[in-house]
Amino acid sequence: MTGRAKVLGILNVTPDSFSDGGEHLDFDAAVAHAEAMVAAGADIIDIGGESTRPGAERVDPEIERARVLPVVVALAERGIEVSVDTMNASTALAAVRSGASIINDVSGGLADLGMAGVIAETRVKYIAMHWRGPSNEMVTLADYRDVPSDVRRELKSRVAELLVQGIDEQQLILDPGLGFAKDARHNWQLLSRLGEIESLGYPVLVGASRKRFVGALPQRNRVGAGVDPRDLPTAVISALAAHAGAWGVRVHDVASTAAALDVVDAWRAGADA
């Protein structure tokens, strides 16, 4: 990949997401936070109305749409590019009609078999994540022989199915699914061998932000009060992922990641010079 990695700012309009559940459930708070993330350097706002944290239960699609769609409309009217994080085809279709240009599906089309048809029909970009099962089962599914090879093979198979169902390969972005049916060791192996996922020939999104394996790193009193200790290592992961060729990174704290990507840009410019 060439060029600066995209920064997707996470906007959870949910009461129960693992890091910021309930903080932006109110419409005005959600829009204000999105605008603040754009000002801090976000290229895209990724809106989710259903938590996918380990153990989370599914949300009725009508509730999901009620949470998400008003915010999609408001941000699209402001000229902000919007991605919607959903596993539901009905929500995806409504989101695109409301102004979203990307659908981010953590199930890669497996949770709702109507999703591929919606993506093929609307022609929007589609982020397909590596997925082995729902959030309330994922811990039991973290069994691999070699995680980067296994994830690559399973993503390749999923891509083949999506293409058969009418999605154009130019629409696809792949996500290796850090933390989804993967333990800390699996996540670090995937990051260190990200090139194996990129070798499939599609843009790759990395979503490590504030996840449990990041929080497990030594803290060393590195942050002050009111700062999430997982944001600094997330920014480092974002920089390393971008330097390794990732198309984009999905983060909660946009400012620290944008600063890290400035370093990557300067590094590359130095190499080009």
Side-chain angles (χ1 to χ4, degrees), residues 52-225:
T52 53
R53 61 179 172 77
E57 297 294 332
R58 295 302 310 273
V59 170
D60 187 289
E62 289 189 12
I63 295 174
E64 179 190 37
R65 290 193 293 276
R67 294 171 177 173
V68 166
L69 296 182
V71 183
V72 174
V73 171
L75 298 189
E77 288 176 346
R78 288 162 171 78
I80 296 172
E81 186 170 9
V82 173
S83 166
V84 170
D85 181 357
T86 182
M87 293 183 278
N88 296 306
S90 59
T91 299
L93 181 59
V96 174
R97 289 174 173 171
S98 298
S101 61
I102 302 172
I103 296 300
N104 179 12
D105 181 359
V106 299
S107 81
L110 291 169
D112 185 336
L113 298 183
M115 181 66 84
V118 168
I119 302 304
E121 174 190 343
T122 60
R123 314 307 293 172
V124 294
K125 294 289 186 182
Y126 182 56
I127 301 170
M129 197 191 78
H130 175 261
W131 192 75
R132 284 187 164 184
S135 295
N136 59 3
E137 298 177 11
M138 68 169 71
V139 174
T140 66
L141 302 173
D143 182 23
Y144 302 87
R145 292 187 62 185
D146 178 73
V147 66
S149 298
D150 291 350
V151 169
R152 184 187 189 281
R153 183 181 64 254
E154 291 170 25
L155 277 174
K156 183 178 181 180
S157 175
R158 185 87 283 266
V159 165
E161 289 293 328
L162 294 171
L163 296 180
V164 166
Q165 294 177 72
I167 295 176
D168 189 277
E169 61 180 10
Q170 297 300 316
Q171 295 176 259
L172 289 173
I173 298 163
L174 302 183
D175 181 341
L178 299 176
F180 286 79
K182 299 168 188 75
D183 61 27
R185 177 174 52 92
H186 297 147
N187 295 326
W188 290 118
Q189 288 173 351
L190 275 167
L191 286 168
S192 69
R193 293 164 59 184
L194 195 62
E196 295 183 31
I197 307 302
E198 293 172 342
S199 72
L200 289 170
Y202 296 92
V204 172
L205 174 69
V206 171
S209 186
R210 297 183 181 174
K211 289 187 175 175
R212 187 176 303 172
F213 78 103
V214 178
L217 291 168
Q219 299 303 307
R220 305 187 192 282
N221 299 314
R222 61 179 168 237
V223 297

